[in-house]
Amino acid sequence: MSLSQLGHDVVYYALALPDPEPVAPPGFEAVGTILGWAKWVGLIAAVLALIFVAVLFMFNSRRGEGGEHIKTFVAILIGVMIIGAATALVGFISGA
């Protein structure tokens, strides 16, 4: 065994930290329910916002101003994607 390999093994095993599985504390089920409700409320608000922007498109297209709300429309769609993927994003960021 080379000296560098021995040094690597010593550092690796000396600094190895335990990596336990995440376990929710007792009584934490209510938080999951609240988060589920928040996700549904967010998606409902996003759908209503998309309908509102579509109505703005409809009224403003007659006046030749229909393209002014494209940024709002794209921002709402990005928000919908983030809300829908919230669980996966948190899992990715936290490394779970």
Side-chain angles (χ1 to χ4, degrees):
M1 178 181 286
S2 69
L3 187 59
S4 64
Q5 180 65 33
L6 180 64
H8 173 269
D9 290 346
V10 168
V11 170
Y12 179 77
Y13 290 114
L15 297 178
L17 298 174
D19 188 18
E21 291 293 322
V23 177
F28 201 69
E29 295 83 20
V31 174
T33 302
I34 292 170
L35 290 175
W37 290 352
K39 184 176 178 179
W40 276 103
V41 168
L43 288 174
I44 290 170
V47 168
L48 292 175
L50 285 173
I51 292 170
F52 178 72
V53 169
V55 170
L56 286 177
F57 279 151
M58 182 182 68
F59 284 127
N60 289 338
S61 68
R62 292 195 170 242
R63 293 184 276 181
E65 303 169 356
E68 294 180 4
H69 302 289
I70 296 294
K71 287 195 315 189
T72 306
F73 181 72
V74 171
I76 293 170
L77 287 179
I78 291 171
V80 168
M81 289 187 283
I82 291 172
I83 292 170
T87 306
L89 285 172
V90 170
F92 175 74
I93 291 170
S94 69

